[in-house]
Amino acid sequence: GIGVAGSLKSGQAAKKAGKQTQASYERSAKDRLEKITFDLGRADRNYRQGVGESLANIGQSGISRTSFYDVLADGASEFAIEKKNITDTGNNEARQLREQGSLAYQSGKDAQTASYFSAAGKVASAGVTIAGSQFQPVGTWQTTTRNASGQII
């Protein structure tokens, strides 16, 4: 009946919504991975700008070349750490987005499965009602009732 169809439609809608949510999270994950490239480019430009400024200032500062190279080495080390952090953070955020999408899809599938059970329950209860009210015995027939030890009562 209507209740069964409603249960099934509800489950289908929940699964569809789960798929759509998963697709949205997947797009966000892809965008986040693309942002890694942008962020790495920005960090590279900032690093190169800093090195250029340092090179321009070396003549005016009066520091030894050894000290200057130490400063450049520290800057390169910091830049390598920053690149790793950018990459790791972006990858972790993309993975979390994909996991959220997967959970949303699974939730939709679970709701659909629950709707099948709900519909089956409605069909079964309708069958019991039909069997109990519409079908009348025709002719003579007997029923036998037995107790727990098997004796006819």
Side-chain angles (χ1 to χ4, degrees):
I2 294 173
V4 172
S7 290
L8 295 175
K9 288 280 187 191
S10 165
Q12 290 169 344
K15 184 177 179 185
K16 183 177 179 182
K19 275 185 173 180
Q20 290 171 341
T21 302
Q22 182 183 31
S24 174
Y25 277 115
E26 183 62 30
R27 283 190 301 275
S28 295
K30 283 183 179 181
D31 290 345
R32 184 58 187 101
L33 291 174
E34 290 174 6
K35 188 175 183 303
I36 291 172
T37 304
F38 174 80
D39 289 346
L40 288 172
R42 182 178 37 82
D44 185 58
R45 286 187 300 279
N46 290 342
Y47 171 71
R48 290 178 188 274
Q49 181 181 358
V51 168
E53 289 172 0
S54 295
L55 288 172
N57 292 329
I58 191 171
Q60 299 171 358
S61 67
I63 64 170
S64 70
R65 283 185 178 226
T66 305
S67 296
F68 176 72
Y69 290 131
D70 288 344
V71 169
L72 284 180
D74 284 347
S77 176
E78 290 291 323
F79 177 58
I81 291 170
E82 181 181 4
K83 287 193 318 184
K84 181 167 176 22
N85 285 339
I86 288 170
T87 302
D88 289 349
T89 299
N91 285 330
N92 286 338
E93 289 175 359
R95 180 182 46 75
Q96 289 172 351
L97 288 166
R98 284 190 171 119
E99 287 174 2
Q100 287 177 309
S102 180
L103 289 172
Y105 177 67
Q106 186 60 48
S107 176
K109 281 177 55 176
D110 291 347
Q112 184 180 35
T113 300
S115 76
Y116 292 156
F117 285 113
S118 174
K122 289 176 183 178
V123 167
S125 68
V128 168
T129 302
I130 290 170
S133 62
Q134 289 184 353
F135 296 110
Q136 301 299 320
V138 178
T140 59
W141 57 291
Q142 295 179 349
T143 59
T144 306
T145 306
R146 298 181 184 269
N147 65 15
S149 53
Q151 296 173 333
I152 296 176
I153 6 180

